[in-house]
Each structure stands twice: as structure tokens, then as C-alpha cells.
Amino acid sequence: METPTKLPPSSPSSPTTGFSVPSAEKVDGFPRRSMRRARQRRSHSSSQFRYQSSQVELTPLPLIKDAPVAELHDLFCKKLQQCCVLFDFLDCVADLKGKEIKRAALNELVESVATSRGVLIEPLYPEAIKMISVNIFRTLPPSENPDFDPEEDEPTLEASWPHLQLVYEFFLRFLESPDFQPSMAKRYVDQKFVLQLLELFDSEDPREREYLKTILHRVYGKLLGLRAYIRKQINNIFLRFIYETEHFNGVAELLEILGSIINGFALPLKSEHKQFLVRVLIPLHTAKSLSIFHAQLAYCVVQFMEKDATVTEYIIRGLLKYWPKTCTQKEVMFLGEIEEILDVIEPSQFIRVQEPLFKQIAACISSPHFQVAERALYFWNNEYILSLIEENCQVILPLVFGTLYRVSKEHWNQTIVSLIYNVLKTFMEMNSKLFDDLTASYKVEKQKELKRERERAELWRGLEEQQERRLQSLGEASRNQKNLQEREKNSKNEPENSAANTT
Amino acid sequence: ARRCASPAGDKMAGADGDDSLYPIAVLIDELRNEDVQLRLNSIKKLSTIALALGVERTRTELLPFLTDTIYDEDEVLLALAEQLGNFTMLVGGPEYVHCLLPPLESLATVEETVVRDKAVESLRKISHEHSPVDLEVHFEPLVKRLASGDWFTSRTSACGLFSVCYPRVSSTVKAEIRQHFRNLCSDDTPMVRRAAASKLGEFAKVLELEYVKSDIISLFTALASDEQDSVRLLAVEACVSIATLLPQEDLETLVMPTLRQAAEDKSWRVRYMVADKFSELQKAVGPEITKNDLVPAFQNLLKDCEAEVRAAAANKVKEFCENLPEDSRETIIMTHILPCVKCPEVRLNIISNLDCVNEVIGIRQLSQSLLPAIVELAEDAKWRVRLAIIEYMPLLAGQLGVEFFDEKLNSLCMAWLVDHVYAIREAATCNLTKLVEKFGAEWAQNTIVPKVLGMANDPNYLHRMTTLFCINALSEACGQEITTKHMLPVVLKMSNDQVANVRFNVAKSLQKIGPVLDSNCLQAEVKPVLEKLAADQDIDVKYFAQEAVSVLALA
């Protein structure tokens, strides 16, 4: 389908009279300088540079590979310190020499930590972590586009990426090095460090988030003491995202990490983990930007089910509670997730949720949006789901029959109508007796429903009349009381008045 | 159970005659209907149901049901939370208002923020209807339970309830409440700390001054240096209330260190908050501290590396300048504030508040120091900035006089006529009219008209059309003589333009300037041209020529 392309916000309103030409740039001969400048300014952003008080001039150090073994560690350390100098990347011509020296030094550090053994000795740990912290930890700049829509808009890229990338690369190689000693690292990679690392996941730059994802995964894998803390802080980030800001760029990446963490949970599941599922993962489905991380979220949910089938009911009831009411796009996603869940559901669990679930599925089938109806009807093409339906036909058919019957007669979309006929046919073959009974009683049921409807209207009318009467009598009562009071007051006043008159 | 004794309760019960008509089961069925929308409708009419049941059955049957079955769609819960805030009379008046606490307590613990907030709002509302005794017996224990709940939602809700019960309880209970608030300020989850920080100012206001100094200041200091910037920025808000409560001599030691630190926070969000609350802060700390501390802080915010912060600060320039002590106002503005004005957002904000700043210091002085900025902004890359400047030209021109204008600003005004954005060209045209109204027809003839007419020969048809638009706008202000002698010939000549858009705009222009011309001229010069255009091969040209002929009554 064609989606209208959005105009850039800075674009001027085009002339409205007869001479409006779409590609005015070529025709009108006006200089377009402002447009060009505006575009350049929008693509990069960085607030990293500000905290450097005075700029240091860098001088190149000898190469690591040429260093004699005795001086190797000392040189490595010096290079790390050199890389703590930050540069202004918003000004792309500032201090090019310094930038090049740092880039070369970072490259050497990456190379050396990745390939040579025995480099990582204890005194280097604090220096390495300091260099990493100084470079990557920063308050992320305000988004250039406050209504940033990750699906539509181009992300703002980090201007200092040429250095930042190498710092991340170094960090990753450092963690993955066979010489890496968690017992030494844990003194420097502590809770505060992890918290700052997690905050960076809000970066708009997808390249940065990709590195962070791999790095956090390694930290989680190697530093066992931080695991619970990392999980707790991810919870906090998600809860803030769900209930406070609705904005966090790294939800998909964090979920991806969690996907593999859930896989490793011990059985039986700790209550902490169940709480995470019920109070964090399920409510994440309410997010407006669900489409960006839905695949990862659904994966996590299914992982939980495969770990422990008893959480199935929480999941399904949770999804039903948060079922989208107005956003059909999200409804299709929910249906997709339900199918993924049903693919691996245990039949005993299915029975526990089939009733509310198929009521919702029936509601989807009667959706006027054909994609929603179609997605729901596709369930009948799934062999495993079909077998579950067949086993529980006595319960499910009465739940959906009315809807199928009605929608087959009145849906505007022919594809949906023919899909429904197929479903009805399947049911007929499954249990023709039940099918005939339902067909026969359809009209009676309809009548009963109408009757109930009338009774309800009657009840409310009665209630409202009664309310009216009571409010009236209350009003009267209070008026009477007021009159009474006034009369009392008057009678009290009277003697005074007469006294006043006599004097 | 107590019998209902309040007069209102008696009346309601007295009118209850027919309540047995509605068994609670039927009503509850309505509240449980499968269709959410129907359920929602029923909840919204909960007061009708309560009225039907009467106060006693509402207390003994309806409220327990509501308390037990709180698991529903958030929409329904939201409606319920709202309803219960207005339920006091329906349960029998203030004496029984505590019956409403259990359902509201559950609602204050749900996940969804809007429901929780509404429940807290209703709780705050009905807290005032509690007698002091009931407040201690029923309400305060609820606050304590919420404050020590194990999921963050209930603790968050508790933060909003301390300040409503604190003023009306005994001193022992007060001490407990302070302790609970302290705990929540250092809660493990940032969500709760944020909630506590956002209520810090409100809570400080109901505390005795000694406890503001002993308790609140330490909490404030701790929250303002929290590890999360979302907490720190809320402390800035509290700073305003706290500073207002303290006597002047304590501000320097108790508040200023934290405020200084916030103005230089490494997170732009915190600095933004300081900028955004600047006028309030300024008023709260008084003139002396403003002079010594806030002026430099404000300077830094105006020069901040993030545009968001600079823009927030720039928005406050007007109020900040107005609130400066009069004796040092002008010096501070001229030596500290104006030089900071570097980036377009900041300047634009100053210029759009020009008339207000003008009241504080003279326009001439201001224009002198702003002139470089005006010239630069006149060519700013963003057209909205240029547009804003154009709108201030008539004001500047009026204040500065012809001479200064011709010398410094005239060329800018002419350059806008050939801007590549239509909105700017249009505004520039309109601007010319206003200038002519100020400076007179003679000035127009000497300075503007030749330049405008010169554009009629431009190779770019959009520029040629600008000539026509200018003539449309100027003819009335310039009068008959200039229009007939100078403008009309150019318009008539342009009727031969090869671009149809120019030609039909000639027709439109003739229609526009016709009323300024005398009838001889209309008949002799305008009519033939319009007749020629009315036979043009382009349909639009024909249309507008015919329209002009009929409007000018030349047929």
C-alpha cells in the first residue's frame, strides 16, 4: 500500500498559487543553501565533547608491535591514557592530527588485545576501564526530532563514531580475550558501571546499540556477581518505558539479550522470573512502538513457555487483557504471537485458556479490518492448532459459531467470506451433529440475546427513573428543611424586630 | 454495625421504599457484563446503582463486591477510581467515608499509571472528609501499608498521600509519616524515588519549619545528586518550594550549593529544568542571590552546548530581566545577558520579545547591540527565523527613523523579496506596505518603487510576479499619481509576458489597482489590455481577465 511520504519539518509551505512546481529546486533558480545546511546539521549529534576543560595536544607514541617485551605493558598503558583525550567531531576539521593519532592508537590496542597473549595484566584493568568509561559514558544528546519514529525517520548518528566504534571494539575484544580474568575485572566493572552502560541503550544510533548488546551479553556471561543487578536494572528501564516515558530506543536489543538469558533459567522458575514475565514482559505489549521490538518480545514469551508450561495461562490471560482496541496493526501482531504460543502449547494448558481465547478470536474474525479477520482465520490452516480445536470442538464451536455464521453473511471482503466457508466446512466435518444443532438454534439464540438486551435497557430505565425521583425528593426535603430553618430564624427575629419597632 | 445516624443518611434510607425491586445480583451482573463497553457504562453509572441500593446496602454489599473483584480492564478501573472519589454521600456521609478506602487502596496499587493516579486523586479528595480520628484510625494506616508495599506501584501511590494527612494527625503519627517519606526518597527503584522527588515540594509545605531544615534539606540534597538524571531534575522543581519556605539567611547554606550543582549538571535534562524554572527560582531566592549566583548561572545556560537548554533559557529572558532589581538591571542586561546571545534560537526568542525588553531598556541601545544579530538572522537558514525578523521590521523602522533604516535595514527588506520561500516573499511584500504607511509616498517613490519595478524584467518569472504582488500591496499606500505614472505602465507591459501565470496575475493586479486609477485611464489604457487578455489562449488568463473586466465595470 502506498503511504504518503512525510515532508521534512523544515520544509517551507509551498506556494499555493498556480505556479507551484513539485521539484521547485530546478525550476525557480533560487539558491537552496539553507536546505543543504539544514540537512547536514540534522544527521549527527554528540554531547560528548563538552566536559573536556582544555584540549591536549597528542604526540604519536612508538608502535606496540615494535616495543621490546620489557616496555610493552608500559607502552600499552600510555596508549590507553592517550585515548582518554576526547575530540570535537561536530567540527569535522578540528584537530585532524590528534584525531588520527588517537584512531591509530585505538586500532593498535584493539589489534593487540585481540591477537597477542599475555598483554592483559592486572595493572592494565583500571586503565582500560577508565579509557572505556571516559569515551563511552556521556549523557545522550536530546533527540533532534522529538517525535522520532524509529520506523519512519532516519536515526541521528553519533558524530564521534570513528573513535567510539574502536573503543567499543576494544571493550569487546577485552571481554572476549582468553586472558580476561573476571575476578580482576569485577573490581572495575561494577554496578555503577553497568548502570551507565544500560543507559546508553537509549542511543538513537543503531550501530552503537548493536555493540552494546554484544558487550552487555558478555558482561552478563562472565561477571556472575552482576547478573541479578543487571536483570533488576533492565526491569526498571522497561517499567519506566511502559509506565512513564514510552520512549527508549534499546528495548529490542535488551529483549534480545533477555531471550538468551531466559533460556538459561533454572527450573522451577524463581518467583523473581515469573514476576518479570507477568509484570514486565506482558505489559510491554501495551507500548505504542510495539512493532519495533515485537519479534524479540514474542521470542522471550515463548521461551518462558517452553521453560515452564505452567506460565501459559498467565501469558494468554495477560495478552487478552492488553488486547489492542483500536490499533489493527497491533492486533495482527498479537494474533501472530498467539499463533506462536499455540504452536508450542501443551494440550492440558490449552484447555485452561480456550474459552477466553476463542472469544477473542471470534471477535477478531468479525473485525471489519480484513487483515485482522484474515490473520485470525489463518489459525485453521495450522495443523497443530486444528488438532487442538478438534479435540475441544464441543467447547470451541459454540463459542465461535455465531460469529462465523453472521460474518459469513455480512463481511465486505470476499476473501474473508470464502475463508469462513472453509472454516465452517472444517467444523461440519469435525462434528456434524453439533454443527446442525447450532445452526438450528442460531435464530432462537439470537432472539434470546435480543430479549436480554431489552431487559437490560428496561432495568436501567427503571434505575434512572428511581434516581430521578430520589433526587427530587431529596431536593424537596432540603428545601423543606431550609424553609423550616428560615421560618425558625424569622420567628426568632420577629420579637427583636417588634422590639426594634417599639423603640 | 453502626446505624446510620447522619441526617442525610436518614433521608436517603427513608426514601428507600422500593429498593428491594433491585436485587444486588442483578446490578452486579451488569457490572460483570462480558462486553467491556457495557461494563464501563455500568461503572460510570455506579452512583445510580448505589442510590438504588441505599446507603446501608451500598456499604455492606456493593463496596465489598467492588473491593473483591478488582481485576478488570484499565478503562473500567479508571472510571471506578473516579466514581469512588464522589461517593461520600452515597455511603452515608463523612461518618462512613472510610468504607471507600479498601477499594481505592487496591486501585492505588494497579500497574497502569492513569488508574493509580486517579485513585490517589480520589483518596486525596476524600481524605478531607475524614474526621481527625478517622484519619488516624483508617486513612493513615492505609498510607503506611501502601508505603511499605512490595511492588513499586503502591509505594509510588503512597508518595502522593503524605501531604494530605500530615497536617491533621498527632505528633507521633507525624514522626512516622516523616520516616516513611524518608524511606521512599531512598527507595531501591528509581520509579519510587521519582514519585517522592516530585512530591518533595508539596510535602515540605505542610511540614514545620524545623523539620524542613532537618529532614527535607537532606532529602533534597540526596535526590538532587541521585544517580539517575530523571530523579535529579525533579529535585530542581522541589527547590522552588523549599527555597520559598526558608528564611533568607538559610538559603545560602541549605539550598544554594545544590542549586549551583544542578545548573552545571552533566545531564542536559537537569540543566533544562533549571532553565525552565528560572523565573520561579529567581523569585524564591531573592535579589541578592540572583545578582551573585543566578546571573552567571543564567549566562551559562544561555551559552549551553545543547540547543534545548539554550531555548528554554531564552524563553525566560524577558521575565528574568523584568525581575532584576532596578538599580542593577540595565548593567546586567547590557554586560551579561546580551553578549550571550549567539545562537539563532536564542536570538529569535529575544527578538520576538523585543517589545517587552524594550520596556526595560531603550530601543536605540537595544538595536545597536542587536543589529549584527538582526542582519545575520535576516539570512538565517531557517525560514521561520527569517519570517519572525520580517515581522519586527515595522516596529524597528518606526522606532529608529528613516535615516537609520535606509542605511542599515533597507537592503535586507529588498533581499527578502527574492527569497526562495514564498512565505518570506509574501511577508516581505506586506512589510513594504507597512513601511510606506510609516515613511510616506515620497519615500516609497525614491527608495522602494524603482527597485520593485526593476524586478519586472528579471529572467525568473517568480521574481516578475513579486513585482506584481508588491504593486498590489503598494498602490493604495502610494496613491493615484505614483500608481498611474510609474506602476501602471509596468503592469500593462507585463501583459505580454510569455508565462501564463504572470499574465493572469497582471489581470488580477489590474483588478486590484483599478479603484486607485481615474476613469479616463481605465478606459484608455486598462480596458484594451484586459480585452486582449480576455482573448488569451490560456483558460486561467481568460478567466481572471473577464473577472477584472466585470469587477471594474468596463464591459
Side-chain angles (χ1 to χ4, degrees):
Chain A
M1 258 194 286
E2 190 101 353
T3 49
T5 47
K6 273 199 217 149
L7 285 171
S10 61
S11 114
S13 58
S14 53
T16 44
T17 29
F19 56 76
S20 139
V21 186
S23 58
E25 303 184 14
K26 286 161 201 137
V27 190
D28 70 2
F30 289 111
R32 310 307 284 187
R33 181 196 44 161
S34 66
M35 294 286 280
R36 274 203 313 280
R37 227 205 287 168
R39 245 179 237 148
Q40 270 173 7
R41 285 235 314 243
R42 286 179 58 213
S43 61
H44 292 287
S45 171
S46 171
S47 59
Q48 185 183 35
F49 184 60
R50 148 176 219 266
Y51 309 106
Q52 193 109 11
S53 45
S54 61
Q55 202 52 22
V56 195
E57 185 112 351
L58 293 192
T59 42
L61 296 163
L63 294 179
I64 292 180
K65 68 171 167 26
D66 300 340
V69 182
E71 287 163 31
L72 181 72
H73 287 121
D74 190 42
L75 182 62
F76 198 94
C77 204
K78 277 189 182 138
K79 295 238 172 196
L80 282 171
Q81 282 157 2
Q82 192 168 53
C83 291
C84 288
V85 177
L86 301 180
F87 291 92
D88 180 5
F89 273 87
L90 287 179
D91 180 356
C92 54
V93 289
D95 201 0
L96 286 174
K97 191 167 139 267
K99 283 178 188 165
E100 177 52 31
I101 292 169
K102 177 168 168 182
R103 197 193 59 81
L106 282 169
N107 261 326
E108 269 190 279
L109 290 172
V110 171
E111 169 87 23
S112 151
V113 86
T115 54
S116 43
R117 299 292 308 269
V119 189
L120 287 187
I121 54 162
E122 189 164 4
L124 286 182
Y125 279 71
E127 293 297 331
I129 295 301
K130 183 175 161 230
M131 188 279 280
I132 292 164
S133 306
V134 166
N135 277 281
I136 66 173
F137 293 151
R138 64 210 193 277
T139 307
L140 293 169
S143 178
E144 294 274 311
N145 178 359
D147 317 306
F148 177 66
D149 174 356
E151 284 199 307
E152 289 269 348
D153 303 331
E154 285 292 311
T156 309
L157 299 178
E158 171 58 47
S160 62
W161 190 245
H163 285 172
L164 205 54
Q165 182 198 358
L166 292 169
V167 175
Y168 278 123
E169 187 67 37
F170 171 77
F171 191 11
L172 191 57
R173 303 288 180 171
F174 173 74
L175 291 166
E176 287 175 347
S177 161
D179 295 338
F180 178 78
Q181 300 275 337
S183 55
M184 288 178 200
K186 74 177 179 198
R187 256 179 286 159
Y188 313 105
V189 181
D190 53 7
Q191 295 193 344
K192 187 157 181 281
F193 183 94
V194 167
L195 188 66
Q196 286 173 286
L197 196 66
L198 281 167
E199 269 167 17
L200 290 173
F201 276 80
D202 194 21
S203 169
E204 229 175 81
D205 192 331
R207 305 168 299 183
E208 180 165 22
R209 296 202 304 270
E210 192 59 32
Y211 265 111
L212 286 165
K213 186 180 75 187
T214 323
I215 286 169
L216 185 67
H217 204 172
R218 297 287 173 276
V219 170
Y220 191 90
K222 306 221 168 184
L223 299 171
L224 308 188
L226 286 171
R227 286 185 173 181
Y229 183 78
I230 291 176
R231 287 197 306 269
K232 197 172 86 187
Q233 293 307 327
I234 293 181
N235 271 1
N236 286 343
I237 289 177
F238 283 165
L239 289 169
R240 183 179 62 184
F241 170 73
I242 301 166
Y243 296 114
E244 293 182 6
T245 59
E246 285 203 35
H247 182 91
F248 192 82
N249 289 311
V251 176
E253 284 79 5
L254 290 175
L255 283 169
E256 212 171 304
I257 298 170
L258 286 165
S260 55
I261 292 178
I262 295 164
N263 222 334
F265 283 164
L267 281 173
L269 283 179
K270 282 199 247 168
S271 75
E272 175 214 327
H273 300 323
K274 281 192 188 160
Q275 192 174 53
F276 168 65
L277 170 69
V278 176
R279 303 196 118 157
V280 182
L281 282 188
I282 301 295
L284 262 179
H285 287 83
T286 58
K288 206 166 70 185
S289 51
L290 178 67
S291 60
I292 295 154
F293 54 83
H294 182 249
Q296 290 83 353
L297 180 57
Y299 179 79
C300 286
V301 168
V302 172
Q303 285 294 306
F304 259 109
M305 274 185 57
E306 296 207 82
K307 266 273 145 193
D308 179 356
T310 60
V311 298
T312 309
E313 198 175 343
Y314 293 123
I315 293 173
I316 302 260
R317 290 194 187 271
L319 288 178
L320 293 176
K321 178 173 182 217
Y322 296 127
W323 202 271
K325 303 259 179 338
T326 52
C327 181
T328 46
Q329 221 187 343
K330 271 174 77 174
E331 233 179 325
V332 174
M333 283 184 248
F334 270 56
L335 285 165
E337 187 170 346
I338 292 284
E339 180 159 4
E340 276 181 58
I341 289 170
L342 291 181
D343 260 332
V344 294
I345 200 167
E346 282 188 11
S348 60
Q349 294 294 327
F350 179 80
I351 292 168
R352 302 167 76 108
V353 294
Q354 57 183 355
E355 258 185 78
L357 180 61
F358 273 82
K359 274 181 193 163
Q360 181 58 57
I361 291 173
C364 291
I365 290 172
S366 62
S367 166
H369 196 297
F370 81 99
Q371 282 176 339
V372 175
E374 187 181 54
R375 189 67 193 82
L377 289 163
Y378 279 165
F379 284 12
W380 274 265
N381 294 347
N382 183 314
E383 291 287 325
Y384 182 62
I385 298 179
L386 203 60
S387 73
L388 290 168
I389 294 176
E390 186 159 13
E391 274 168 46
N392 301 285
C393 192
Q394 286 290 349
V395 183
I396 292 172
L397 183 51
L399 288 172
V400 296
F401 181 81
T403 305
L404 290 172
Y405 193 87
R406 184 172 52 80
V407 177
S408 73
K409 297 232 182 304
E410 56 190 44
H411 205 281
W412 62 274
N413 183 296
Q414 273 315 305
T415 319
I416 299 302
V417 175
S418 58
L419 279 170
I420 290 194
Y421 277 127
N422 285 339
V423 171
L424 284 170
K425 201 164 137 254
T426 322
F427 273 126
M428 208 160 23
E429 285 159 7
M430 261 178 209
N431 191 337
S432 59
K433 166 92 179 47
L434 179 61
F435 191 88
D436 291 342
D437 289 351
L438 287 168
T439 318
S441 61
Y442 178 75
K443 285 237 166 73
V444 183
E445 284 297 321
K446 261 262 128 80
Q447 292 299 328
K448 271 193 205 156
E449 215 171 281
L450 281 175
K451 190 163 163 265
R452 274 200 297 274
E453 201 94 336
R454 273 200 303 276
E455 280 169 4
R456 172 175 317 115
E458 196 60 31
L459 170 72
W460 279 104
R461 228 195 42 232
L463 277 174
E464 264 148 35
E465 272 171 17
Q466 190 195 9
Q467 183 186 22
E468 200 68 12
R469 273 203 310 280
R470 290 211 176 169
L471 288 178
Q472 236 167 32
S473 67
L474 269 183
E476 256 165 49
S478 76
R479 253 198 312 282
N480 287 342
Q481 201 169 0
K482 224 187 257 162
N483 287 343
L484 207 71
Q485 278 169 353
E486 236 148 70
R487 224 174 293 154
E488 270 171 30
K489 230 199 301 181
N490 286 342
S491 60
K492 256 188 227 153
N493 281 346
E494 255 161 33
E496 276 171 37
N497 285 343
S498 54
N501 282 342
T502 47
T503 47
Chain B
R2 283 188 278 181
R3 306 263 338 144
C4 77
S6 74
D10 272 335
K11 290 251 157 46
M12 278 178 157
D16 269 359
D18 50 353
D19 68 345
S20 54
L21 279 177
Y22 299 109
I24 181 99
V26 177
L27 301 175
I28 283 174
D29 261 1
E30 282 301 295
L31 296 173
R32 271 188 185 142
N33 195 296
E34 252 177 46
D35 185 335
V36 188
Q37 194 53 49
L38 291 176
R39 223 153 56 221
L40 188 58
N41 292 345
S42 314
I43 283 284
K44 284 186 174 159
K45 288 189 262 180
L46 198 61
S47 58
T48 309
I49 293 182
L51 209 51
L53 287 172
V55 291
E56 197 161 337
R57 292 184 65 203
T58 299
R59 289 199 299 268
T60 54
E61 294 173 58
L62 183 61
L63 286 178
F65 161 75
L66 290 173
T67 313
D68 291 343
T69 52
I70 290 180
Y71 175 82
D72 204 330
E73 302 268 346
D74 293 325
E75 287 90 333
V76 179
L77 296 185
L78 176 66
L80 178 59
E82 187 169 8
Q83 291 280 313
L84 291 178
N86 302 316
F87 239 56
T88 312
M89 287 320 281
L90 296 165
V91 293
E95 194 179 335
Y96 295 97
V97 66
H98 59 83
C99 302
L100 298 173
L101 296 179
L104 282 171
E105 181 174 354
S106 325
L107 288 169
T109 63
V110 300
E111 328 280 336
E112 179 50 51
T113 325
V114 286
V115 178
R116 243 186 298 140
D117 288 350
K118 189 54 86 180
V120 170
E121 197 186 310
S122 288
L123 280 170
R124 286 169 70 112
K125 203 164 159 190
I126 64 169
S127 73
H128 303 298
E129 285 157 353
H130 281 71
S131 66
V133 176
D134 280 351
L135 205 63
E136 274 193 30
V137 177
H138 299 287
F139 198 89
E140 202 270 341
L142 169 146
V143 178
K144 270 197 270 184
R145 278 195 300 279
L146 287 176
S148 41
D150 52 352
W151 188 241
F152 81 95
T153 51
S154 77
R155 302 201 298 277
T156 308
S157 293
C159 293
L161 296 174
F162 294 120
S163 66
V164 291
C165 53
Y166 189 84
R168 293 172 62 211
V169 291
S170 68
S171 56
T172 4
V173 179
K174 279 185 176 177
E176 282 172 27
I177 292 181
R178 288 196 303 273
Q179 183 54 44
H180 277 291
F181 192 79
R182 264 200 299 277
N183 293 346
L184 295 184
C185 283
S186 53
D187 197 275
D188 196 28
T189 64
M191 286 79 77
V192 177
R193 293 202 303 278
R194 278 194 286 275
S198 70
K199 300 293 177 197
L200 184 63
E202 178 188 296
F203 189 54
K205 281 186 193 157
V206 298
L207 247 59
E208 298 81 356
L209 185 60
E210 51 169 318
Y211 294 118
V212 173
K213 283 190 201 171
S214 61
D215 282 31
I216 295 288
I217 294 297
S218 65
L219 296 176
F220 167 61
T221 317
L223 290 170
S225 43
D226 196 275
E227 59 187 14
Q228 303 242 343
D229 62 357
S230 51
V231 179
R232 296 202 298 275
L233 67 87
L234 290 166
V236 175
E237 259 188 304
C239 183
V240 177
S241 317
I242 295 171
T244 323
L245 296 170
L246 291 173
Q248 188 72 29
E249 65 269 20
D250 290 329
L251 285 177
E252 180 55 42
T253 47
L254 297 181
V255 175
M256 287 317 290
T258 311
L259 181 57
R260 269 181 222 124
Q261 171 197 319
E264 288 173 359
D265 198 282
K266 70 181 191 336
S267 163
W268 64 271
R269 291 183 190 85
V270 179
R271 301 196 304 276
Y272 175 92
M273 201 56 155
V274 175
D276 196 47
K277 297 274 166 236
F278 216 84
S279 312
E280 286 98 319
L281 289 168
Q282 186 188 6
K283 278 183 207 144
V285 299
E288 264 320 294
I289 295 183
T290 298
K291 231 186 285 178
N292 301 334
D293 269 283
L294 294 194
V295 172
F298 195 59
Q299 264 178 293
N300 285 335
L301 292 171
L302 282 171
K303 287 189 285 196
D304 199 276
C305 67
E306 293 299 350
E308 268 73 2
V309 180
R310 293 195 301 271
N315 261 323
K316 300 291 167 191
V317 167
K318 177 196 158 194
E319 277 180 75
F320 182 76
C321 293
E322 275 175 353
N323 295 338
L324 284 171
E326 247 173 77
D327 54 341
S328 49
R329 184 189 288 164
E330 190 154 333
T331 337
I332 292 177
I333 296 176
M334 295 312 294
T335 53
H336 298 290
I337 306 300
L338 280 179
C340 302
V341 181
K342 286 271 155 54
C343 94
E345 281 94 340
V346 181
R347 289 182 190 180
L348 184 60
N349 265 310
I350 292 199
I351 288 170
S352 20
N353 285 322
L354 201 60
D355 38 348
C356 310
V357 184
N358 182 18
E359 286 162 16
V360 185
I361 57 174
I363 184 87
R364 185 160 283 272
Q365 198 166 16
L366 184 67
S367 308
Q368 291 291 1
S369 38
L370 277 183
L371 190 65
I374 292 172
V375 174
E376 202 179 307
L377 286 174
E379 293 166 339
D380 194 273
K382 294 199 174 87
W383 68 272
R384 285 173 214 280
V385 176
R386 300 200 296 277
L387 188 63
I389 288 291
I390 296 180
E391 279 163 6
Y392 282 96
M393 273 300 141
L395 174 75
L396 284 171
Q399 303 267 358
L400 298 171
V402 174
E403 215 168 289
F404 185 89
F405 182 85
D406 279 347
E407 190 184 323
K408 312 268 184 186
L409 304 175
N410 191 22
S411 56
L412 292 178
C413 292
M414 299 316 288
W416 284 321
L417 289 174
V418 292
D419 198 282
H420 69 268
V421 176
Y422 177 73
I424 298 296
R425 298 199 296 276
E426 193 187 23
T429 314
C430 176
N431 174 41
L432 286 187
T433 320
K434 289 186 186 145
L435 292 175
V436 174
E437 281 164 8
K438 281 223 156 71
F439 295 154
E442 197 184 326
W443 174 83
Q445 192 183 345
N446 294 331
T447 37
I448 301 186
V449 174
K451 286 184 192 162
V452 167
L453 297 183
M455 284 176 0
N457 299 318
D458 199 286
N460 186 321
Y461 84 100
L462 293 172
H463 294 188
R464 299 202 294 277
M465 294 219 297
T466 307
T467 299
L468 291 173
F469 296 147
C470 287
I471 289 174
N472 293 349
L474 290 175
S475 65
E476 203 172 315
C478 287
Q480 194 181 47
E481 201 198 327
I482 297 178
T483 310
T484 319
K485 252 168 83 188
H486 300 278
M487 296 177 176
L488 184 63
V490 174
V491 179
L492 295 175
K493 200 173 131 225
M494 289 171 84
S495 66
N496 297 318
D497 202 290
Q498 57 179 349
V499 178
N501 295 36
V502 177
R503 294 200 303 280
F504 76 64
N505 273 297
V506 166
K508 283 165 118 178
S509 287
L510 288 174
Q511 178 184 333
K512 185 96 209 285
I513 67 175
V516 186
L517 305 169
D518 68 31
S519 55
N520 282 345
C521 174
L522 276 177
Q523 288 294 337
E525 301 188 52
V526 175
K527 194 179 170 187
V529 170
L530 282 177
E531 276 166 357
K532 184 185 74 190
L533 291 175
D536 199 281
Q537 56 188 354
D538 186 279
I539 182 164
D540 295 321
V541 179
K542 265 192 207 167
Y543 172 80
F544 286 109
Q546 280 159 3
E547 192 183 67
V549 167
S550 75
V551 170
L552 295 173
L554 292 173

